[in-house]
Amino acid sequence: MLLALIGTASAQDSTRSDWLRNPAMGNYKAYAEFKMGHYAEARHVWETLTEVGNGDALFNLGVLAEDGLGEPRDLPKAETLYTAAARAGNFKAQYRLGLLYSTGETLPRDLARARLYLGMAAQAGDADARARLAALDQPDQALSPYQQAESLSAGGRHTEAATLYARLADQGDRSAQTRLAWMYEAGRGVPRDLAEAARRFRLAADAGEAEAQYALAVMHRTGVGQDKDLPASLHWLKKAAAQGYPAALAALQSGSAAGLY
């Protein structure tokens, strides 16, 4: 799941005016709260950021609604939030909508919308979206095991998805390792376990997965799931940014502008 970071020690003590002035700071604050399971606090920050149309905040609110984290599960609300995030240019929301519309379990199947949103995410450089779009164009071809796991997750069958992700992770699939780490962080299909999430993020990060490198940078910045280690946080942030990972690039730019990096 894509959550923004800013490299500042004061972000956790920031206020509403700080968040609106610098949404990256607000997203960092919210993600720190999310990691600790403080979903109401995270939601408050993200709802504030929707006032300025922040795509990351809209997407993350959609995640809370879809998974029922700190609130009753509400799929129509999640769909509305994901759509707003996708229109704001959030490629994670674009991919998520494409996946949900293509599987037709959580939301009604709509291949036209699936192709639209997957195409948007693919244009933004998302490899999973490109693969899913290609699969839609070849309906007689079996989905790859990773795509099967994604479909299970999109259908709300998280325990089955986690089992398949774990099998793929054990075989060296770094994307599956990252997805499984996120599941441990949120307690989706597996018990919530930040230490296990951190271990799996580290395995995927060492294997070169930019999303995992970014997540590990956040963990080292917050001291949640990993020891607080600012040089290590910067190391992984630079690794992710070097691969063009959007959240890492934004975080590094924000930190540099503030004279922090």
Side-chain angles (χ1 to χ4, degrees), residues 101-103 108-118 133 136:
Y101 285 131
S102 66
T103 56
R109 196 164 194 249
D110 188 329
L111 294 184
R113 287 186 177 181
R115 286 191 171 90
L116 170 66
Y117 288 113
L118 289 172
L133 196 58
L136 287 181

Side-chain angles (χ1 to χ4, degrees), residues 52-162:
V52 291
N54 185 268
D56 289 333
L58 288 161
F59 171 71
N60 293 324
L61 287 171
V63 171
L64 295 180
E66 182 185 352
D67 290 344
L69 297 173
E71 63 183 279
R73 192 168 188 238
D74 189 334
L75 296 179
K77 178 182 177 182
E79 181 183 15
T80 298
L81 288 163
Y82 286 150
T83 300
R87 289 173 178 169
N90 186 283
F91 77 91
K92 288 289 186 182
Q94 293 162 356
Y95 173 68
R96 189 67 185 166
L97 282 172
L99 185 62
L100 294 175
Y101 285 131
S102 66
T103 56
E105 293 188 48
T106 301
L107 296 177
R109 196 164 194 249
D110 188 329
L111 294 184
R113 287 186 177 181
R115 286 191 171 90
L116 170 66
Y117 288 113
L118 289 172
M120 292 168 69
Q123 286 184 341
D126 188 82
D128 290 338
R130 286 196 299 268
R132 196 80 194 190
L133 196 58
L136 287 181
D137 293 332
Q138 299 176 318
D140 296 330
Q141 186 171 330
L143 294 176
S144 70
Y146 179 80
Q147 290 170 335
Q148 292 174 32
E150 291 281 84
S151 294
L152 288 169
S153 178
R157 297 160 65 183
H158 300 310
T159 300
E160 295 172 72

Side-chain angles (χ1 to χ4, degrees), residues 234-248:
L234 179 57
H235 167 78
W236 289 114
L237 192 62
K238 286 183 173 179
K239 286 275 192 182
Q243 297 191 64
Y245 193 69

